[in-house]
Amino acid sequence: MTLTIIRNADDLSARYDIAIVGAGPAGMAAATECARLGLAVVVFDENAEAGGQIYRAIERNTRAGRPYLGSDYGRGAGLWAAFCATAASHVPSAAVWSLEQQGEGAAALAELRVSVAGRSRIVLARRVVLATGATERPMPVRGWTLPGVMSVGAAQIALKASALLPEGPVVLTGSGPLLYLYADQVLAAGGTIDAILETTPRRNWLRAAPHVFSFLASPYAWKGLGLMLRVRRAVRVFRAVTALEITGKDRADGVTFMAGGKTVSLPARSVFLHQGVIPHANLANAAGCALAWNDRQKCFAPVVDGEGRSTRPAIFIAGDGNGIAGAVVAEFDGRIAGIAAGLEVLGAGSSEASRRFVRLRKRALRGRAFIDLAYQPALSFRAPAAGDVVACRCEEVSVGAIREAAALGVAGPNQLKTMLRCGMGPCQGRMCAATVTELLADAQQRHPADVGTYRLRPPIKPVPLCEIAALPHTSEAVYAVTGGHSGH
């Protein structure tokens, strides 16, 4: 058995047993388990290569060639090899822009509309596993739209995919372990990091304290400690940073912030922002899967059961797309969801393999609560106060405009969208949804769960009208547009 690579929409089958969206750790693991059950499996992924963000370019990178990526990155090689040994079909550079459930209960089907190489096709699957991963939480501050400013995750993509090191002076700012992981990788690759500005509030450590023993019993503790010690020996670190601003006219040239009761200014040509990641749930949202507020991770996430079933029977969700837990947990999540979805297609009962992966996932989750609470981003960066800061980059809507609408009693993000166009740009709210919810909650003194998030509809990815028009349409759809039933 070998993996089949599909690069043209016309080569897709009209129907599969299992469709998987995303080829990161959860997606590759789910595909491997489903293929072992003898099912017809297709994996759609936006990237040109499998691996997702954490294992990006795993097909090409080797430990000898890029040792600075670390041993955790090397785990992806085994996942990739197992995925390649299956009879699944892998569709790289594919954008799934619509997902709908047809029917209900055990007979439900998933209908996917996917764009590949300039053409769109409709694909049916008896079950779909969404393994869409995470997206970085937006960190809107003054100057974050300047050239030279990007997310730490984007900078890490350049390092993994092309071995590109940032141009100095380099400043990393925000909260979360990824700041130190990326800094360590850059230093090991021969680059420089001039400063790390930690925006994590000091009081977070007190809130995380009840979970410290579980954390110390996890592999996170000693890996994290060693990572931080290595970086802090080589990089200047400022803690409890507030009032951050990126300066520059045509591009970033420095940062100004408060730390230790003093105003500090540093030169910077490359500024990388990060304050954790949140589930990339746009496709699940548009498909009608219920979302719920996760107060520990400060984000909305799809509602799933212990095997990844969403509130839509045909749709399973695995990995960071249903709650942030890291690559190892995402792999076990993918295996559990893949087995559960596959057994439903086969009409079979539960599996001992699935129960084993549930136990492994539980063990891998040890220490996660401590990390979530310790690195929870400060409210001042989740819901900035400065009115001139851009909140929605696509439509250039400011924090001030959103707070003014909140004062007028706007009901929530969806009403705000009709007033200010927030969330109507190409990213479909990916870069502003979290900020809009937090801003409205802060301004109106409501809980984010009550404020809600955007209600999304397809297409959730930009797709040319000619591709949509070329798809087969029902007579009702034709009549709605043309007034006739001819279908022409």
Side-chain angles (χ1 to χ4, degrees), residues 69-127:
L69 295 179
S71 58
D72 288 344
Y73 175 82
R75 181 184 177 97
L79 263 176
W80 164 245
F83 178 48
C84 285
T86 70
S89 296
H90 176 213
V91 191
S93 303
V96 177
W97 51 268
S98 175
L99 170 62
E100 295 181 10
Q101 178 175 292
Q102 305 293 340
E104 293 293 337
L109 293 174
E111 181 185 273
L112 304 93
R113 296 174 186 236
V114 57
S115 175
V116 185
R119 294 196 62 183
S120 284
R121 282 288 302 273
I122 297 175
V123 173
L124 293 177
R126 296 179 67 182
R127 291 293 180 266

Side-chain angles (χ1 to χ4, degrees), residues 320-348:
D320 282 350
N322 67 26
I324 307 305
V328 174
V329 173
E331 176 189 333
F332 295 139
D333 232 26
R335 295 190 189 283
I336 294 163
I339 291 171
L343 292 179
E344 280 195 8
V345 169
L346 294 172

Side-chain angles (χ1 to χ4, degrees), residues 4-36:
T4 299
I5 307 297
I6 295 176
R7 300 191 184 278
N8 295 293
D10 290 341
D11 295 331
L12 289 168
S13 297
R15 185 168 178 145
Y16 294 88
D17 292 320
I18 302 286
I20 296 168
V21 183
M28 289 192 292
T32 300
E33 297 300 331
C34 289
R36 281 175 182 161

Side-chain angles (χ1 to χ4, degrees), residues 129-171:
V129 179
L130 300 183
T132 48
T135 187
E136 284 186 271
R137 185 193 304 273
M139 190 175 177
V141 296
R142 280 198 183 101
W144 77 311
T145 59
L146 286 169
V149 183
M150 59 198 304
S151 71
V152 171
Q156 194 184 47
I157 288 174
L159 180 66
K160 289 179 177 179
S162 304
L164 293 177
L165 294 171
E167 182 180 4
V170 181
V171 174

Side-chain angles (χ1 to χ4, degrees), residues 198-208 238-241 259-260 374:
E198 288 189 1
T199 60
T200 308
R202 294 187 188 277
R203 65 180 178 274
N204 279 17
W205 302 103
L206 293 175
R207 296 164 60 190
F238 296 85
R239 299 192 183 99
V241 165

